[in-house]
Amino acid sequence: MSSALTDLFPLPIVQAPMAGGVSVPQLAAAVSEAGGLGFLAAGYKTADGMYQEIKALRALTSRPFGVNLFMPQPEYAEPAAVEVYAEQLAGEATWYEAELGDPDSGRDDGYEAKLAVLLDNPVPVVSFHFGCPTPEVIESLARKGTLTLVTATSAEEAQAVERSGAHAVIVQGVEAGGHQGTHRDDPERDCAGIGLLSLVAQVREAVALPMVAAGGIMRGGQIAALLTAGVSAAQLGTAFLATTESGAHAVHKQALTNPLFVRTELTRAFSGRPARGLVNRFLREHGPYAPVAYPEVHHLTSPLRKAAAKAGDAQGMALWAGQGHRMARELPAGKLVEVLAAEVAAAQAEQASAQVGSQGGGQIGSEGR
């Protein structure tokens, strides 16, 4: 990775931006203070809400951090399909004594207004999800001294990121919790996700951009393996979800290691876009029928999810989690960064020792011949 980016954070650990109130300033500050790169999630916030969180974070740390933006979504949804899904969810609304949300509450997530704030009040790093910004946007941020990263879930998307002029690509494997950052929501690709190690290899051959790996990473040994595979840093979300500073609901944190939740699935049930979460009642009952309609379904189910959280009902919440969720550790975020860094160092030392041993064995073998 270009020294401009790696100089920002000494450890190859990036805290994933998790929208919905998880990536609060306290979490990002703790990660950055410990030597990683903390992130705020601007998704589902107003431009002013994002700005207030940036101010709060700057009051907690002078270390570099990042802000993540959702790209505006094109018109894909069929209103009739959303109406049918709303009818199916009527029973949920009755159960939780909540009204369904308005599916037409906006598609752009305040993108332009948030960009304006970030150009007027530059931050060290900005990343993008659900698509690739234009070269003009990347250049405008670069002129302010902001480094940019864009999520890609395929080699083709990584090539689009490279053409945009972004400084690095976030390579997101199918193991990742939460929403897949596909540039286009194509239902024919719902079962075509690529595992992280395979994707890293493909992207490494397709582009010259530095890579940040994301997807199911929970231990320092995994980070060390990915560094050996050619990435410059690893982005962890679920690992930080369970930390003390995380803004995740207590029920969500507990569910990560609760034996009732044994696996994850990609589902459209909660938002209309593929996202990985713990399999619960809501996902099982509604996932097969959810339309390709983001963010309409997200707006539609938002009151239901909030009501379930208020009731402490894990069976009705969107329990986003990566495939490594059972390995979650309830630690302060700074301590987790410290533990991960120690695990990386130990794994790298073991790799180096094994390499030396292998070279020595080869020399002995040649002398024996």
Side-chain angles (χ1 to χ4, degrees):
M1 186 177 290
S2 64
S3 60
L5 195 51
T6 50
D7 286 350
L8 292 179
F9 51 107
L11 300 174
I13 299 168
V14 178
Q15 167 245 314
M18 293 169 279
V22 178
S23 295
V24 293
Q26 293 81 358
L27 174 60
V31 173
S32 290
E33 282 290 308
L37 182 66
F39 252 96
L40 293 174
Y44 310 136
K45 292 184 175 67
T46 63
D48 183 64
M50 176 193 74
Y51 177 58
Q52 296 304 322
E53 287 209 340
I54 291 171
K55 286 176 59 178
L57 177 52
R58 283 180 164 144
L60 294 171
T61 182
S62 59
R63 301 284 305 168
F65 62 90
V67 174
N68 175 256
L69 298 183
F70 287 170
M71 293 296 296
Q73 297 301 291
E75 296 283 349
Y76 281 132
E78 296 182 16
V82 178
E83 290 172 9
V84 169
Y85 195 54
E87 292 173 3
Q88 180 179 331
L89 295 177
E92 298 283 348
T94 301
W95 176 259
Y96 289 113
E97 299 181 343
E99 297 289 332
L100 293 174
D102 179 6
D104 299 317
S105 298
R107 304 187 62 80
D108 67 358
D109 199 50
Y111 178 71
E112 295 294 342
K114 290 171 184 176
L115 269 180
V117 170
L118 294 171
L119 290 171
D120 287 341
N121 303 271
V123 299
V125 180
V126 170
S127 67
F128 298 86
H129 208 60
F130 295 150
C132 190
T134 64
E136 291 75 20
V137 167
I138 297 292
E139 177 58 29
S140 65
L141 289 166
R143 285 197 297 268
K144 297 292 185 176
T146 298
L147 301 177
T148 49
L149 298 84
V150 182
T151 300
T153 62
S154 69
E156 292 76 19
E157 290 180 352
Q159 289 171 331
V161 173
E162 187 171 50
R163 289 193 296 271
S164 77
H167 294 91
V169 58
I170 300 171
V171 181
Q172 186 193 39
V174 74
E175 304 94 332
H179 285 92
Q180 289 283 296
T182 51
H183 292 190
R184 181 174 178 273
D185 187 9
D186 182 357
E188 293 184 2
R189 289 193 58 199
D190 278 6
C191 298
I194 305 171
L196 182 56
L197 279 173
S198 295
L199 185 56
V200 163
Q202 293 177 28
V203 172
R204 188 179 185 185
E205 292 191 1
V207 302
L209 279 179
M211 295 181 291
V212 176
I217 306 166
M218 302 294 289
R219 295 287 187 266
Q222 293 171 284
I223 298 174
L226 287 161
L227 293 172
T228 300
V231 310
S232 299
Q235 179 172 279
L236 291 74
T238 305
F240 285 105
L241 190 67
T243 60
T244 308
E245 296 86 349
S246 160
H249 194 288
V251 170
H252 192 170
K253 292 183 179 183
Q254 294 161 5
L256 295 175
T257 53
N258 187 328
L260 286 175
F261 301 102
V262 297
R263 62 189 179 89
T264 64
E265 278 186 12
L266 285 171
T267 184
R268 294 180 181 271
F270 298 101
S271 72
R273 224 181 195 276
R276 185 174 296 282
L278 299 174
V279 176
N280 61 2
R281 179 194 58 79
F282 193 104
L283 189 156
R284 286 193 302 270
E285 292 183 1
H286 301 295
Y289 311 104
V292 181
Y294 176 86
E296 286 85 356
V297 172
H298 163 75
H299 296 315
L300 189 70
T301 67
S302 179
L304 301 180
R305 289 179 277 124
K306 290 176 181 176
K310 185 177 180 179
D313 182 7
Q315 296 299 332
M317 297 168 61
L319 302 173
W320 302 138
Q323 288 184 341
H325 66 94
R326 298 299 293 274
M327 302 169 74
R329 297 180 277 205
E330 296 181 14
L331 296 170
K335 179 63 176 179
L336 178 58
V337 172
E338 179 184 322
V339 169
L340 289 167
E343 291 173 347
V344 171
Q348 290 177 328
E350 186 175 343
Q351 290 172 2
S353 176
Q355 186 176 12
V356 170
S358 175
Q359 291 172 346
Q363 292 170 353
I364 293 173
S366 63
E367 290 171 0
R369 286 195 296 273

